Amino acid sequence: EAQVTQNPRYLITVTGKKLTVTCSQNMNHEYMSWYRQDPGLGLRQIYYSMNVEVTDKGDVPEGYKVSRKEKRNFPLILESPSPNQTSLYFCASSLRGQSDTQYFGPGTRLTVL
Amino acid sequence: AQSVAQPEDQVNVAEGNPLTVKCTYSVSGNPYLFWYVQYPNRGLQFLLKYITGDNLVKGSYGFEAEFNKSQTSFHLKKPSALVSDSALYFCAVSPSGGSYIPTFGRGTSLIVHP
């Protein structure tokens, strides 16, 4: 089944404790991205990647890192999480880039205390 | 800068009645327009998109949307609503071509009453 998977689905952590949210897609898509969803704000893009070793900032990249060492994986790293990063995070992939249909993972609900 | 407006936070409709979820946009050049649906505790799912061509776009689950260039709108419609259509709906826009970050609206909660 074609899908985007994320782990963990739920995470409660404390300020400053480094964490990684994994994302993997099995559709051989070149393009992957991370979004955060906050009430009343819709989805905002954090980072995106056009291909292996090619990443760029989205609209809200502060406090986040990403890496793209393999085509299928695109982990999101919070090196020193803060409470304002409490949010619902989605990974997405697409075949041809930003203007193409996005396929979303199930989401990761992160709470930073 | 591009933008998307979904003017209604919530739309209520009775089952069997037609539904409309509104979306207006602002973008330089020709737009790519999308509708996504989010069911509780799930990721966003693609419904339909407008790239070029026929202004009336048909998508999944009986939904359709009409692209209106003069009114810069892309309203989502369905002739007969189902209770199972209750979900959060997002409109998104991206300029055609290039590597432009898509902009999503704030979302509209659709509630279909039995």
Side-chain angles (χ1 to χ4, degrees):
Chain A
E1 179 189 356
Q3 61 182 349
V4 178
T5 58
Q6 295 178 229
N7 283 292
R9 294 290 312 278
Y10 302 90
L11 179 60
I12 300 174
T13 189
V14 296
T15 299
K17 186 176 181 181
K18 181 179 179 179
L19 66 91
T20 299
V21 183
T22 64
C23 172
S24 183
Q25 50 93 5
N26 62 1
M27 295 170 279
N28 202 36
H29 286 171
E30 291 192 346
Y31 171 83
M32 298 184 74
S33 62
W34 276 101
Y35 293 86
R36 59 179 289 172
Q37 181 181 13
D38 301 291
L41 296 178
L43 274 75
R44 295 178 292 168
Q45 194 179 76
I46 302 170
Y47 267 95
Y48 67 94
S49 169
M50 296 299 289
N51 213 326
V52 175
E53 302 291 0
V54 181
T55 64
D56 207 348
K57 297 177 180 178
D59 289 329
V60 288
E62 294 78 18
Y64 305 94
K65 287 179 60 176
V66 293
S67 68
R68 187 94 180 271
K69 292 182 169 46
E70 304 169 281
K71 194 172 186 178
R72 63 183 293 127
N73 297 323
F74 190 45
L76 179 69
I77 303 158
L78 285 71
E79 294 209 326
S80 183
S82 62
N84 64 11
Q85 293 178 298
T86 292
S87 187
L88 180 57
Y89 291 87
F90 289 101
C91 180
S93 73
S94 71
L95 184 61
R96 285 182 289 269
Q98 300 268 33
S99 299
D100 200 5
T101 301
Q102 308 290 310
Y103 294 85
F104 287 83
T108 296
R109 186 166 293 281
L110 172 65
T111 301
V112 183
L113 302 175
Chain B
Q2 65 210 45
S3 65
V4 173
Q6 293 182 241
E8 300 153 318
D9 290 336
Q10 185 171 302
V11 170
N12 291 276
V13 64
E15 189 174 31
N17 283 0
L19 70 88
T20 298
V21 183
K22 296 179 180 178
C23 172
T24 59
Y25 67 90
S26 173
V27 69
S28 299
N30 295 318
Y32 290 169
L33 293 156
F34 301 82
W35 276 102
Y36 292 87
V37 60
Q38 184 180 28
Y39 298 103
N41 299 313
R42 304 285 296 276
L44 279 72
Q45 298 177 32
F46 169 76
L47 271 182
L48 51 81
K49 67 180 176 183
Y50 171 83
I51 302 296
T52 187
D54 194 347
N55 290 344
L56 185 62
V57 179
K58 294 188 182 297
S60 307
Y61 313 121
F63 284 93
E64 59 188 28
E66 185 166 11
F67 170 62
N68 188 317
K69 188 172 184 178
S70 63
Q71 296 185 6
T72 60
S73 67
F74 190 57
H75 301 331
L76 181 69
K77 299 182 179 183
K78 187 174 182 181
S80 178
L82 299 172
V83 172
S84 57
D85 292 331
S86 299
L88 191 57
Y89 290 81
F90 290 94
C91 181
V93 68
S94 182
S96 59
S99 180
Y100 298 99
I101 298 171
T103 298
F104 284 77
R106 296 184 176 184
T108 297
S109 177
L110 173 67
I111 299 174
V112 181
H113 302 277

